[in-house]
Amino acid sequence: QVQLVESGGGLVQPGGSLRLSCAASGRIFSTVAMAWYRQAPGKQRELAARIMSGSSTNYADSVKGRFTISRDQAKNMVYLQMNSLKPEDTAVYYCYFEGTEIGGPDGYKYRQVWGQGTLVTVSS
């Protein structure tokens, strides 16, 4: 099965930077999209950044200009570079994968997979 392993979260001061990484592993045939969602305390999960198979991207208005999503398709990795961090960026950040898994004798299986989340805290 496809699995996502996240890293890079932690505590950072306002104005600082963090780089999140997500590694997708398993019997991946193709990747349609990878994304970073986030969920702040008491709020719904929201899309922060997404990158499609054609490398097009979109961002939440609140992070546009500060966050950059990128991918290494050969390594099945996705990154989120976060600059000029604000206290309101504090949230659990979740990696997301959407693509096709090799299903063995059963053929291919379309998968939507979530990581376990990594906590980003922006505070003095």
Side-chain angles (χ1 to χ4, degrees):
Q1 295 183 357
V2 177
Q3 293 182 315
L4 305 178
V5 179
E6 300 151 320
S7 62
L11 176 65
V12 65
Q13 294 183 339
S17 298
L18 281 177
R19 181 179 172 88
L20 305 183
S21 300
C22 175
S25 62
R27 298 176 297 171
I28 299 171
F29 179 76
S30 65
T31 301
V32 174
M34 295 192 75
W36 289 96
Y37 287 75
R38 67 182 186 179
Q39 187 168 20
K43 297 184 178 180
Q44 291 186 318
R45 188 176 300 185
E46 65 173 355
L47 177 67
R50 179 171 60 194
I51 184 166
M52 307 301 293
S53 61
S55 298
S56 63
T57 59
N58 49 36
Y59 298 90
D61 288 340
S62 58
V63 309
K64 191 174 298 182
R66 299 186 297 117
F67 290 11
T68 303
I69 188 170
S70 61
R71 68 187 299 177
D72 185 335
Q73 191 168 0
K75 297 180 179 179
N76 290 319
M77 296 282 293
V78 65
Y79 308 93
L80 185 66
Q81 179 66 47
M82 304 184 293
N83 298 326
S84 302
L85 284 163
K86 305 175 181 179
E88 51 263 43
D89 294 319
T90 296
V92 177
Y93 285 72
Y94 297 90
C95 186
Y96 170 82
F97 166 90
E98 184 176 353
T100 303
E101 178 188 45
I102 300 174
D106 297 328
Y108 303 100
K109 297 180 179 179
Y110 195 77
R111 297 296 192 191
Q112 295 173 293
V113 182
W114 294 93
Q116 295 299 309
T118 184
L119 178 63
V120 173
T121 302
V122 185
S123 176
S124 299

